[in-house]
Amino acid sequence: MQKFVVIAAAAVLFSGCSTTSKVMEVGPDTYSVSSMAAPVRGGTGAARSNALEQANAHCRALGKYIEVVDTSQNTLNSYGAGAADVVFRCVSRNP
């Protein structure tokens, strides 16, 4: 029984997911998006990448290009789960 508990705990710990928030408007033509990723999904690096992909997709949908204003990322636990926040603008390409 104890072996089963250890295996079940390891499965839960190392099973991974990642999640990315919806894009939120935080100012005039300025937006924010957040993401979290489990270690098996790439942790902090994957969280940053996922947030940037969501930001880029939002700007493309508006027919514009992304201009990153600020990024932050941090490790959420000792196993390597990570989070990232991206603040960005959608701008028209210069001629």
Side-chain angles (χ1 to χ4, degrees):
M1 178 68 171
Q2 191 175 25
K3 185 177 179 180
F4 173 76
V5 171
V6 170
I7 291 172
V12 168
L13 177 64
F14 294 110
S15 65
C17 63
S18 63
T19 183
T20 304
S21 71
K22 293 182 179 180
V23 172
M24 303 287 294
E25 188 169 9
V26 295
D29 203 31
T30 305
Y31 306 91
S32 177
V33 64
S34 301
S35 182
M36 294 188 302
V40 73
R41 296 283 186 202
T44 304
R48 183 176 185 271
S49 178
N50 293 342
L52 286 169
E53 285 177 18
Q54 183 76 6
N56 211 1
H58 180 76
C59 289
R60 275 195 316 266
L62 297 174
K64 296 183 177 184
Y65 298 88
I66 186 173
E67 179 183 274
V68 176
V69 174
D70 188 33
T71 63
S72 64
Q73 53 193 34
N74 55 42
T75 303
L76 300 176
N77 59 34
S78 61
Y79 301 106
D85 298 306
V86 175
V87 178
F88 64 98
R89 291 186 185 107
C90 295
V91 296
S92 299
R93 177 170 267 172
N94 293 334

